[in-house]
Amino acid sequence: MKSYKGKKVVLFYSSVQDKKLFSIQGFYKTDISILEDLGYTVVTSNRIRDFLHFRKYDIAFLYFYRYGLFSAILAKLFGKQVIFTGGIDNLAREYASRKNYFIQKHFFRFCNLFSDVSLIVSTADQENIKQIYAGRLPKNNLLCFHSIDTERLKYIPNIPKKNVFLTIAWMTKAENVYRKGILRSIRVFKELTAYMPEYTFYIIGPLGEGSDIAMQLIEKSGLEDKVFFTGTISEAEKINYLKTSKYYFQLSEYEGFGIAATEALMAGNIVIHSGKGGLKDAVGNHGICIENIEDYPAIARQIYNHSSTLNGKQHIEEGIQYVEKNFSYSNRKNTISKILRRL
């Protein structure tokens, strides 16, 4: 059972709790689609023991440099080719705790040891990797940005923009509302109500511990009639929100890449971001980069002042061109295709 109708089989792994995430989370969906477009059969897995069934797959495609290590070891024991990818947040000294950095550093070293190719998704991660290899990037590490569906997300000028701020985050866990800057965004929006009272703020994503914390802040700030949660919505609904909103918040402590910010830029938003980690690539010189993400009054003034001098049409066109050039589906597909041909 090494192949399906002559196709090679890729065992696609991430340590997700629910395999439904492979069809929901954008970066998983994109890479699975790329592999299928390249003629491979993709079997998804969140169980390390699946890699014991060596007759059922040819290539291990592993997300994140932690639990993927154990899948990689099994795959290599059976002579399989191994590809790693995904953001590496805990390799950022300015973000990760000393303990988390130490653990991630050693996990990455071991993962990379068993990897034929490691697809690094941002220049920030690339620089962090160099720090643990005496300033050199390992030969099997290749920069390969995440990609988005530029065709579906591309803003069309005749779509009217609404007075809406937007952000997207998984809020099932408390940690994510802190790392993604959801609470910062709410505090900045509170300050903005003095300058831009006609605006509302929508937060997209699954609800849970994190959204409970955010709701407490919303109520404390008296923003119940201004800030709204959508919960989990379809991809089409998400794209509609992105295309009709004007501003997008990404005041993250760190981003391995920042796919949602890239999507927002493609959809014609002014992206208000921290510039941390992969956001330097994901947004580039576009949007509004915030130096001090804790100075909420100053951020609000910066946004308001920017809005009064902004050439909206030019901003949208330049953002779209930047994304199409760097993060199209074909860019990542072509890189993965070359790698697979070499293996």
Side-chain angles (χ1 to χ4, degrees), residues 6-132:
K7 293 183 178 181
K8 284 192 172 183
V9 178
V10 174
L11 190 52
F12 189 104
Y13 170 85
S14 182
S15 60
V16 295
Q17 290 186 346
D18 190 340
K19 286 179 68 175
K20 289 180 181 178
L21 284 175
F22 290 123
S23 60
I24 297 172
Q25 192 77 34
F27 48 82
Y28 294 141
K29 285 175 61 179
T30 298
D31 283 352
I32 290 169
S33 178
I34 285 172
L35 291 165
E36 289 175 340
D37 283 353
L38 292 173
Y40 293 83
T41 295
V42 180
V43 178
T44 58
S45 170
N46 60 352
R47 303 183 306 177
I48 294 168
R49 64 177 179 269
D50 287 343
F51 289 83
L52 289 168
H53 305 296
F54 60 91
R55 291 189 178 90
K56 295 184 178 181
Y57 67 98
D58 302 280
I59 298 168
F61 196 101
L62 312 175
Y63 251 91
F64 306 120
Y65 303 85
R66 199 148 189 175
Y67 298 110
L69 169 63
F70 307 105
S71 300
I73 291 171
L74 290 176
K76 275 299 173 188
L77 283 174
F78 296 119
K80 308 299 181 180
Q81 296 155 332
V82 173
I83 298 172
F84 269 96
T85 194
I88 327 168
D89 296 0
N90 281 325
L91 272 189
R93 288 178 180 271
E94 70 273 22
Y95 163 70
S97 67
R98 183 177 296 181
K99 177 183 177 182
N100 287 341
Y101 176 80
F102 177 83
I103 292 170
Q104 183 61 80
K105 178 177 71 172
H106 290 289
F107 262 107
F108 182 84
R109 281 182 173 275
F110 283 116
C111 287
N112 200 57
L113 182 64
F114 289 95
S115 176
D116 289 284
V117 178
S118 296
L119 300 176
I120 311 305
V121 300
S122 73
T123 55
D125 279 353
Q126 197 175 52
E127 290 304 311
N128 292 336
I129 292 166
K130 288 180 181 178
Q131 294 301 312
I132 63 174

Side-chain angles (χ1 to χ4, degrees), residues 232-274:
T232 302
I233 58 177
S234 69
E235 184 72 7
E237 289 174 309
K238 182 194 80 172
I239 291 173
N240 183 62
Y241 270 103
L242 285 166
K243 287 184 177 180
T244 56
S245 58
K246 289 185 180 178
Y247 293 89
Y248 186 89
F249 281 123
Q250 195 73 65
L251 297 174
S252 307
E253 291 181 9
Y254 189 83
E255 288 287 340
F257 180 72
I259 289 176
T262 304
E263 291 181 335
L265 193 62
M266 189 70 193
N269 280 258
I270 300 166
V271 180
I272 304 153
H273 65 101
S274 62

